[in-house]
Amino acid sequence: NVHQLLVVGPDAGAMPYFSEAKWLDPIGLNDNFIARHARGPKAELIDYLFERNPEIFILCKVGSRFVSNFPGPLGDQTARIFHDPRFSRYVQVARFQKNSGGRYAYVFYARRDLPTLENVKRVLRN
């Protein structure tokens, strides 16, 4: 039984087709809980993300600033997710500039206790 990585990040509609990971879009495009609670308190939605215990978070930045204008219930909460004390369990493993106009970069953070952390780093470097 192979463990499937859970990735929290944008573009969850397309990315699962190109990877073997399960994707959870914090914007709410592919998750019933987030979609049903879109107008609920942001803190509850952020709690939900951390309760899922994802192996990887992908947060978007423009330079050193977090993107704060995505659509959806958590589209303006990237910095809040990053500064949440639970996020200290994650370490940055890669950064990729978005191809479409270079407006922002995808920054990958993996859970520090991930047994395959070195493999994830190696795959993202190549």
Side-chain angles (χ1 to χ4, degrees):
N1 187 13
V2 176
H3 175 75
Q4 189 175 36
L5 291 178
L6 176 61
V7 178
V8 172
D11 291 342
M15 291 309 295
Y17 296 106
F18 302 106
S19 72
E20 295 181 14
K22 176 170 176 37
W23 285 64
L24 172 59
D25 186 350
I27 296 171
L29 297 178
N30 72 346
D31 185 84
N32 289 333
F33 181 87
I34 292 176
R36 284 194 314 265
H37 296 87
R39 296 184 189 273
K42 307 283 190 210
E44 288 180 17
L45 295 176
I46 292 171
D47 287 345
Y48 171 74
L49 295 180
F50 283 108
E51 287 166 5
R52 300 289 309 271
N53 200 29
E55 284 81 11
I56 297 174
F57 268 94
I58 301 172
L59 303 179
C60 294
K61 283 186 159 184
V62 174
S64 63
R65 292 179 299 110
F66 286 102
V67 173
S68 63
N69 59 349
F70 281 130
L74 290 174
D76 61 350
Q77 298 296 305
T78 306
R80 185 171 176 182
I81 292 167
F82 178 81
H83 292 293
D84 188 290
R86 295 168 286 191
F87 201 82
S88 66
R89 296 176 47 218
Y90 294 84
V91 60
Q92 182 176 329
V93 294
R95 180 182 178 119
F96 298 103
Q97 195 67 25
K98 186 169 171 40
N99 288 333
S100 62
R103 294 185 315 252
Y104 54 87
Y106 292 125
V107 185
F108 286 69
Y109 300 88
R111 225 177 46 227
R112 293 177 193 271
D113 67 348
L114 184 62
T116 58
L117 181 60
E118 291 308 312
N119 292 338
V120 168
K121 287 179 182 179
R122 188 175 59 251
V123 166
L124 291 174
R125 276 194 303 260
N126 295 328

